[in-house]
Amino acid sequence: MLNRRKFIALSAFGSLAATIGRRASAGHVAGFRKGPVVISTWDAGIQANRGAWEILGKGGRALDAVEAGVMVTEASQNCCVGLGANPDRDGFVTLDACIMDEFANCGSVAFLERIKHPVSVARRVMEKTPHVMLVGSGAQQFAIAEGFTLEEQKLSPSAQEAYDNWLKKSEYKPVINIENKGDHGPSAPVRFESGEWNHDTIGMVAMDIKGNLSGSCTTSGMGFKMRGRLGDSPIIGAGLFVDNEAGACTATGQGEDVIRVAGSHTVVELMRQGLSPEAACKKAVERIIRIKKEKAKDIQVAFLALNKKGEVGAFAIHKGFSYAIKAEGVEKLVAAKSIFS
Ligand code: SD4
């Protein structure tokens, strides 16, 4: 995970660091109708948005931007997404990703091993096959045939340390234990004693200069998950959904509960009915809470959405979910509103 203190130190601009320090206040964020906009989940979204902006800022297509943006995070060994991330409980890093464009074209890979950029494989699935989703060894075989390098199967030092700690107890709890530090069981995301959430996913949605929407989502999934487990992130309609008429949404948090409510699709349909992005995200979160009842206190789920007017919004179950926005002259990290504080 990107250490927060290190992240602030790394931030090139004093003003940005200041924004992050106080976290821009939650709430309605003005639309960016005059130009492109990109938003992405968690603190690592700042760097990812910069990658996307290389394309959006030059008038490029949102689809290219959301691929390039999350590739920054996938390539980062300091973070929590990609080959440097936490393994499953058998010690293997397995990756899930998806991508969707303004024409409802979509592609997805899941349970993919030893490939650095799953989002790009997902894009090839979308563009070069008649399918939406490839998984496991078939996805890997396709990636190799497409020229992707098969990387060494080796945990990063931080993932090895986290895995060694987890092995001491090997406790399997497919829920988030918000009291622990993430070393007792598979949990996504985990809340540290400081109150901050660890996380292992980046979801990004963007609108380009033509007003077209696209999105991407990529993850190593829950740390120390059962081998073969998939969450919401590679599932179109759960971890990501784009409808060029209504809006786009991505999700992060406990994937099982995002899938249960077809989370990102639900948010987009609520925006189609006229709800603002924030109100739509809140309604989807409330639906999860109605289903989970008191167990909702133990899980984190957050939605992040963008509508056709370029308005952005988010909502989470718990406090601590942040998202990054980039538009012309705007670069900030916003603390999302939540049900529990
Ligand atoms: C999953 N939704 O695999 C992902 C995990 C996540 O921050 O978002 N972590 O369930």
Side-chain angles (χ1 to χ4, degrees):
M1 185 192 96
L2 185 59
N3 172 289
R4 183 168 144 75
R5 211 170 299 131
K6 195 158 115 211
F7 172 73
I8 291 172
L10 282 173
S11 297
F13 308 111
S15 60
L16 171 61
T19 307
I20 294 162
R22 60 181 138 73
R23 294 276 162 118
S25 61
H28 177 78
V29 178
F32 295 96
R33 241 183 286 198
K34 288 198 185 107
V37 55
V38 55
I39 53 177
S40 54
T41 56
W42 305 106
D43 299 16
I46 289 280
Q47 299 292 348
N49 286 355
R50 287 181 192 167
W53 198 255
E54 296 278 318
I55 290 160
L56 287 178
K58 292 179 189 136
R61 188 178 169 204
L63 178 70
D64 296 324
V66 297
E67 180 187 5
V70 302
M71 281 173 77
V72 171
T73 325
E74 284 179 342
S76 160
Q77 287 288 306
N78 292 329
C79 191
C80 35
V81 172
L83 291 173
N86 285 339
D88 64 19
R89 61 183 183 173
D90 292 357
F92 300 99
V93 175
T94 70
L95 304 174
D96 307 329
C98 71
I99 193 160
M100 188 163 188
D101 75 7
E102 70 270 32
F103 305 112
N105 294 316
C106 43
S108 161
V109 286
F111 195 49
L112 178 61
E113 293 174 287
R114 299 175 58 190
I115 300 288
K116 191 171 175 185
H117 288 299
V119 72
S120 301
V121 186
R123 183 166 176 176
R124 300 282 176 96
V125 172
M126 171 175 105
E127 292 179 338
K128 297 201 164 179
T129 79
H131 308 301
V132 167
M133 198 163 193
L134 289 180
V135 305
S137 58
Q140 191 188 66
Q141 205 177 315
F142 171 72
I144 293 165
E146 284 295 310
F148 290 82
T149 306
L150 194 60
E151 309 288 340
E152 201 187 339
Q153 167 66 64
K154 189 171 184 297
L155 294 183
S156 68
S158 60
Q160 187 67 59
E161 193 187 331
Y163 183 52
D164 290 344
N165 279 338
W166 179 76
L167 281 176
K168 286 178 196 155
K169 291 198 175 173
S170 303
E171 236 181 285
Y172 188 71
K173 285 188 201 160
V175 293
I176 286 172
N177 179 348
I178 53 178
E179 301 305 323
N180 74 33
K181 287 184 174 169
D183 54 1
H184 297 303
S187 15
V190 170
R191 188 151 71 184
F192 294 118
E193 279 162 355
S194 65
E196 303 234 350
W197 290 91
N198 182 17
H199 44 85
D200 35 44
T201 298
I202 184 153
M204 173 178 279
V205 292
M207 186 168 75
D208 61 28
I209 200 141
K210 293 185 177 160
N212 286 325
L213 302 173
S214 288
S216 60
C217 188
T218 180
T219 188
S220 57
M222 231 178 224
F224 322 121
K225 60 197 173 187
M226 277 179 80
R227 185 144 176 81
R229 177 266 183 192
L230 298 184
D232 59 315
S233 304
I235 299 178
I236 300 294
L240 177 73
F241 195 68
V242 177
D243 183 308
N244 211 39
E245 288 176 1
C249 177
T250 189
T252 183
Q254 180 122 329
E256 284 73 4
D257 295 307
V258 176
I259 294 171
R260 243 181 269 293
V261 297
S264 291
H265 180 263
T266 293
V267 170
V268 170
E269 291 309 304
L270 290 166
M271 289 195 290
R272 193 195 305 283
Q273 289 166 25
L275 266 65
S276 71
E278 184 183 298
C281 292
K282 184 175 184 211
K283 268 219 178 303
V285 164
E286 286 169 347
R287 195 171 292 181
I288 293 174
I289 288 178
R290 273 204 306 281
I291 293 167
K292 298 292 286 189
K293 302 195 173 63
E294 67 283 356
K295 286 190 187 144
K297 289 217 165 103
D298 295 332
I299 59 162
Q300 174 67 310
V301 167
F303 295 106
L304 173 62
L306 169 66
N307 68 13
K308 270 304 261 191
K309 294 184 211 159
E311 292 167 336
V312 310
F315 217 87
I317 296 181
H318 289 277
K319 190 177 164 197
F321 170 62
S322 57
Y323 62 98
I325 305 180
K326 193 158 174 61
E328 193 57 51
V330 178
E331 183 175 66
K332 61 182 171 182
L333 201 58
V334 179
K337 286 185 187 167
S338 56
I339 303 286
F340 303 114
S341 52

